[in-house]
C-alpha cells in the first residue's frame, strides 16, 4: 500500500527529526571515514551503498535507529478497528507539517516566491560615536535567479533620507551570488514577469486602501466637524519619504532570550536615544517615521519610533497593545503606548522614559470631578490608536485623555477601520513594498570592560580638572566599590519600579565614613559611553561640581561606573561621584 504524498512527506520529516536527535549523521560520517580508511584498497576511489549499509548494520546503527523510531498512524476511515496494533505504533491525530524537511535547498521557483527585499541601511559614525542615518535602500535580489551561473552584478544609487530623500549620496556596486548554486536557473523573462506582476498587485492593493481611507475619513468628519483638528494619523512618511499606513510600522516582535519581561522591554526602548528628525528652516516638526531596521541601526529616533518598537515588543509578549497618537502639554504632538488588560485596566507606557501610568477616566459632569487628583501622565489629547491589525479614531465629544473612555469595542466612541482593509496592505507578505521586521541582536558590549574604561577616563578627567584648580586628588578604591550596589539598585528600580537594596548601601556608607566626616554622593544616568561628554554634563550640575571640586581636610574622592547592556548594543550608563572629608568648623 502506497502513502499519499503529504503523508510520505510527514513521515520523512519525523524520521529526519529522530535522526537529528540521535546524531545519526555524525555517526555515519565517522563510520564512513573509518571504513574508507580500514577496508578500501588504496586504488579504490568510491564506497558503494551496499558496503556502507553493511558497515552500519555491523556496528548496530540501523538497529538503534529502528528501536528509537516511534511511528505514527492517523485515525483514518479505512483502518479496520479489529486489526491488531503492531508494537511501537501509536494512534494520535496527526499535525500537518508544512515546512521543508530542511535536507535540500529550495528550488529556483520556490525562491522566486520569496518577496522580502534585502534592507540595507547606511550609517555614519563620527569620532564621538554619534550616529547619523545616511541612506536606506531596499534591494530586489531575485534578479540573480535568472542569471547565468547564479552570479550577477548590480549598480544601485543610494538616496538620502528625510528632507534629502531626493538627493543622491552615492553609488553602490553589488555582487550577488547564490550559494550553493541552483541546479536550474530561471529565464530572466520569467523573473521580470513575476516582479512586474507583484508590483502591479501591490499598487492595486495600495490604491484600494487609499480609496477606502479617504471614504473612512469623510465619514469620520461627518460625525463632528471638530474632528478635523484631531491627530488622526492614517499614513506616515518613512525615512525615504514614502507614505505608508501607520499600521505597517507595528508587528508582534519576539525578543527571544534577550529580554525577559515587558517592563525590561520598556527599559530597552527607553535607553535608545531620543532625537527629533532634522528640519531645514523654521516651521513645524519634520515628518519621519523610521523603519525598524533604520531605527535600530542608528540607536536613536523620535517618539514615534520608540512607541512603534515598544508596541511591537508588547504584542510579542501577548499583550493587547496599541500606539496612541495625540498631544502632550502645550499641544506638542506625541506618541505613546497603551495596553488593555483582560479586566479592563488601561495602562499607558511612555516609551521615552519607561514610566507606566494607570488611566481612570473622569467625567467633567460629576460633582466630585473637581476633587479628583490630576493624572500623573503628561498626555493631554488623543486622536487615534492603532496596532498591526486595528486602527480606531477617537469620536468622543472631547479628545481629552483625562475624560476618554477606552472601550475600543464601542463604535460610538471609537470609529474602527475595516480589519480586512488593514490586513490587505499590512499583513506579512501582503505587499512587496513592506519591509520585513529584523530580529533583535544581542549586545556586543562587554559591560565589565566598558565600565572599567569609562571609570578610568573619568578619574583622569577629575584629576586634571582639580589640578587646574590647584587641588590634589586622592582616590579611595574601597569607597568607590561601595557605590556599586546603589547603581545596581537604581537600574533595577528603572526596570521594575521597585526600590530594593537601599538600606544595605546606607549602612555600608555609614561604616565607611568616620565620625566627624561628611559624605556626599551624586548619581547620574546616561545612554551613551562617551566619558568626556558625560563629565562635561556632570559639571553643569552645581551639586556634582561641588563634589568634584571638594575642598577640605582629608578629602577622599570616589567614582563608580556601571554599564548595563541591552540588545542592539544599547546601554544604560550609571555614574556616581562621591567624596568624604572631615568637617571643620
Amino acid at each position: 500500500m502506497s502513502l499519499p504524498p503529504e503523508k510520505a512527506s510527514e513521515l520523512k520529516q519525523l524520521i529526519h527529526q529522530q535522526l537529528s536527535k540521535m546524531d545519526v549523521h555524525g555517526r555515519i560520517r565517522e563510520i564512513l571515514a573509518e571504513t574508507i580508511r580500514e577496508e578500501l584498497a588504496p586504488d579504490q576511489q568510491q564506497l558503494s551503498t551496499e558496503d556502507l549499509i553493511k558497515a552500519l548494520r555491523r556496528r548496530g546503527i540501523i538497529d538503534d535507529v529502528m528501536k528509537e523510531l516511534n511511528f505514527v498512524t492517523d485515525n483514518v476511515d479505512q483502518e479496520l478497528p479489529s486489526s491488531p496494533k503492531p508494537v511501537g505504533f501509536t494512534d494520535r491525530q496527526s499535525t500537518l507539517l508544512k515546512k521543508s524537511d530542511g535536507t535540500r535547498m529550495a528550488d529556483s521557483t520556490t525562491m522566486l516566491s520569496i518577496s522580502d527585499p534585502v534592507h540595507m541601511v547606511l550609517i555614519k559614525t563620527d569620532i564621538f560615536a554619534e550616529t547619523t542615518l545616511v541612506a536606506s535602500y531596499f534591494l530586489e535580489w531575485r534578479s540573480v535567479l535568472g542569471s547565468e551561473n547564479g552570479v550577477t552584478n548590480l549598480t544601485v544609487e543610494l538616496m538620502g533620507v528625510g528632507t534629502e530623500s531626493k538627493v543622491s549620496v552615492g553609488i553602490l556596486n553589488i555582487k550577488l551570488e547564490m550559494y550553493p548554486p541552483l541546479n536550474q536557473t530561471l529565464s530572466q523573462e520569467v523573473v521580470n514577469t513575476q516582479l512586474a506582476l507583484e508590483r502591479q498587485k501591490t499598487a492595486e492593493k495600495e490604491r484600494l486602501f487609499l480609496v477606502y481611507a479617504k471614504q473612512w475619513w469623510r465619514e469620520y468628519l461627518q460625525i463632528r466637524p471638530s474632528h478635523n483638528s484631531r491627530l488622526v494619523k492614517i499614513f506616515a512618511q518613512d525615512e525615504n519619504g514614502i507614505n505608508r499606513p501607520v499600521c505597517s510600522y507595528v508587528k508582534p516582535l519576539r525578543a527571544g532570550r534577550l529580554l525577559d519581561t515587558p517592563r525590561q522591554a520598556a527599559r530597552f526602548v527607553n535607553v535608545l536615544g531620543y532625537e527629533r528628525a532634522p528640519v531645514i528652516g523654521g516651521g513645524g516638526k519634520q515628518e519621519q517615521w523610521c523603519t525598524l531596521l533604520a531605527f535600530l541601526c542608528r540607536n536613536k529616533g523620535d517618539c514615534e519610533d520608540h512607541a512603534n518598537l515598544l508596541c511591537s515588543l508588547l504584542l510579542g509578549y501577548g499583550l493587547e497593545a496599541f500606539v496612541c497618537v495625540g498631544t502632550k502639554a502645550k499641544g506638542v504632538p506625541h506618541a505613546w503606548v497603551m495596553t488593555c488588560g483582560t479586566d479592563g485596566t488601561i495602562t499607558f507606557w511612555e516609551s521615552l522614559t519607561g514610566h507606566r501610568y494607570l488611566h481612570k477616566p473622569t467625567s467633567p459632569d460629576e460633582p466630585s470631578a473637581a476633587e479628583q487628583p490630576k493624572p500623573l501622565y503628561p498626555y493631554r489629547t488623543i486622536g487615534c490608536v492603532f496596532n498591526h491589525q486595528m486602527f480606531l479614531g477617537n469620536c468622543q465629544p472631547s479628545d481629552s485623555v483625562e475624560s476618554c473612555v477606552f472601550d475600543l469595542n464601542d463604535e460610538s466612541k471609537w470609529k474602527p477601520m475595516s480589519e480586512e482593509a488593514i490586513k490587505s496592505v499590512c499583513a506579512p507578505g501582503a505587499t512587496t513594498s513592506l519591509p520585513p521586521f529584523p530580529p533583535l541582536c544581542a549586545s556586543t558590549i562587554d559591560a565589565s570592560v566598558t565600565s572599567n574604561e569609562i571609570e578610568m577616563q573619568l578619574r583622569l578627567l577629575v584629576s586634571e580638572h582639580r589640578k587646574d584648580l590647584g587641588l590634589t586628588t586622592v582616590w579611595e578604591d574601597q569607597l568607590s566599590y561601595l557605590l556599586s550596589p546603589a547603581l545596581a539598585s537604581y537600574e533595577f528600580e528603572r526596570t521594575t519600579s521597585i526600590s530594593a537594596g537601599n538600606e544595605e548601601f546606607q549602612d555600608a556608607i555609614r561604616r565607611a565614613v568616620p565620625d566627624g566626616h561628611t559624605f556626599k554622593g551624586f548619581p547620574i544616568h546616561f545612554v551613551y559611553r562617551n566619558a568626556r561628554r558625560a563629565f562635561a554634563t556632570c559639571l553643569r550640575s552645581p551639586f556634582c561640581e561641588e563634589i568634584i571640586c571638594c575642598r577640605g581636610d582629608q578629602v577622599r574622592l570616589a567614582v563608580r561606573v556601571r554599564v548595563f547592556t541591552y540588545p542592539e548594543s544599547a546601554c544604560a550608563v550609571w555614574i556616581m561621584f562621591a567624596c568624604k572629608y572631615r568637617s571643620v568648623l
Side-chain angles (χ1 to χ4, degrees), residues 7-26:
K7 301 303 177 186
S9 175
E10 181 180 355
L11 183 59
K12 287 171 60 180
Q13 176 73 11
L14 293 172
I15 293 174
H16 173 70
Q17 290 175 350
Q18 189 63 39
L19 293 178
S20 300
K21 179 180 177 182
M22 297 173 63
D23 192 25
V24 170
H25 297 96

Side-chain angles (χ1 to χ4, degrees), residues 503-520:
E503 298 83 0
E504 294 87 347
F505 168 68
Q506 291 184 359
D507 186 64
I509 293 299
R510 290 192 189 98
R511 291 176 177 275
V513 178
D515 291 339
H517 284 65
T518 300
F519 170 85
K520 292 182 179 179

Side-chain angles (χ1 to χ4, degrees), residues 95-107:
T95 302
L96 292 178
L97 301 174
K98 298 183 180 179
K99 291 191 175 182
S100 164
D101 60 5
T103 59
R104 57 190 176 88
M105 182 178 174
D107 57 26

Side-chain angles (χ1 to χ4, degrees), residues 160-441:
V161 296
T163 56
E164 301 176 11
S165 60
K166 305 299 182 185
V167 180
S168 175
V169 297
I171 302 296
L172 185 64
N173 295 318
I174 302 172
K175 178 182 178 181
L176 297 177
E177 181 176 358
M178 293 298 302
Y179 184 82
L182 292 170
N183 294 327
Q184 181 180 5
T185 59
L186 301 172
S187 70
Q188 199 63 51
E189 183 181 357
V190 170
V191 175
N192 293 338
T193 301
Q194 173 70 15
L195 299 183
L197 287 173
E198 288 180 1
R199 286 193 294 268
Q200 182 181 355
K201 183 179 178 181
T202 295
E204 180 62 14
K205 285 184 177 181
E206 292 175 345
R207 184 189 69 81
L208 292 175
F209 182 77
L210 178 61
V211 171
Y212 170 76
K214 288 181 177 180
Q215 177 62 30
W216 183 93
W217 178 246
R218 283 194 294 268
E219 294 173 357
Y220 182 72
L221 292 181
Q222 289 174 4
I223 297 174
R224 199 173 286 109
S226 60
H227 286 180
N228 192 40
S229 61
R230 295 189 179 182
L231 282 178
V232 179
K233 194 78 176 167
I234 303 174
F235 295 92
Q237 285 188 356
D238 65 8
E239 65 268 19
N240 292 324
I242 298 174
N243 273 317
R244 301 185 186 275
V246 292
C247 296
S248 68
Y249 290 88
V250 175
K251 188 182 300 182
L253 180 62
R254 293 170 57 177
R257 301 187 184 277
L258 301 179
L259 298 168
D260 295 323
T261 66
R263 296 194 186 190
Q264 192 177 18
R267 178 59 173 158
F268 158 59
V269 177
N270 159 225
V271 298
L272 293 172
Y274 170 65
E275 179 182 80
R276 297 182 62 177
V279 60
I280 300 176
K285 174 184 172 183
Q286 172 65 29
E287 171 74 15
Q288 181 178 308
W289 289 28
C290 282
T291 54
L292 180 59
L293 182 62
F295 176 39
L296 294 177
C297 284
R298 64 174 183 156
N299 257 234
K300 59 185 176 182
D302 212 333
C303 61
E304 294 88 357
D305 303 326
H306 287 78
N308 290 334
L309 175 56
L310 178 56
C311 183
S312 298
L313 288 167
L314 296 183
L315 288 169
Y317 280 109
L319 301 179
E320 187 180 13
F322 297 86
V323 175
C324 302
V325 179
T327 63
K328 295 195 298 184
K330 299 181 180 179
V332 177
H334 191 61
W336 66 97
V337 179
M338 171 187 76
T339 53
C340 306
T342 54
D343 59 353
T345 303
I346 300 297
T347 306
F348 293 147
W349 302 63
E350 177 47 61
S351 56
L352 296 181
T353 64
H355 294 161
R356 300 165 65 253
Y357 308 96
L358 289 177
H359 170 70
K360 294 182 180 179
T362 60
S363 174
D365 300 328
E366 294 180 7
S368 59
E371 303 172 4
Q372 295 180 3
K374 284 286 183 181
L376 298 176
Y377 49 76
Y379 319 120
R380 295 295 176 263
T381 66
I382 183 168
C384 64
V385 300
F386 67 88
N387 60 19
H388 64 301
Q389 295 177 328
M390 301 173 64
F391 183 96
L392 303 108
N394 182 8
C395 55
Q396 298 173 60
S398 171
D399 62 352
S400 170
V401 178
E402 288 184 40
S403 59
C404 188
V405 176
F406 287 92
D407 182 2
L408 302 183
N409 295 317
D410 187 347
E411 295 191 9
S412 67
K413 294 180 172 61
W414 295 93
K415 179 174 174 57
M417 270 194 169
S418 164
E419 292 189 22
E420 286 299 318
I422 295 172
K423 185 178 179 181
S424 69
V425 292
C426 296
T431 65
T432 56
S433 63
L434 287 180
F437 269 33
L440 295 181
C441 295

Side-chain angles (χ1 to χ4, degrees), residues 419-493:
E419 292 189 22
E420 286 299 318
I422 295 172
K423 185 178 179 181
S424 69
V425 292
C426 296
T431 65
T432 56
S433 63
L434 287 180
F437 269 33
L440 295 181
C441 295
S443 177
T444 58
I445 299 172
D446 187 317
S448 299
V449 171
T450 306
S451 299
N452 191 59
E453 289 176 350
I454 298 176
E455 189 171 308
M456 292 300 102
Q457 293 173 25
L458 288 175
R459 283 197 176 196
L460 182 61
L461 290 169
V462 170
S463 298
E464 290 177 349
H465 185 75
R466 289 176 60 85
K467 184 179 180 181
D468 292 340
L469 298 176
L471 301 172
T472 58
T473 304
V474 181
W475 296 99
E476 185 172 319
D477 291 340
Q478 176 61 15
L479 184 59
S480 296
Y481 180 74
L482 295 183
L483 304 178
S484 292
L487 301 182
S489 177
Y490 297 149
E491 181 63 19
F492 182 77
E493 185 175 359

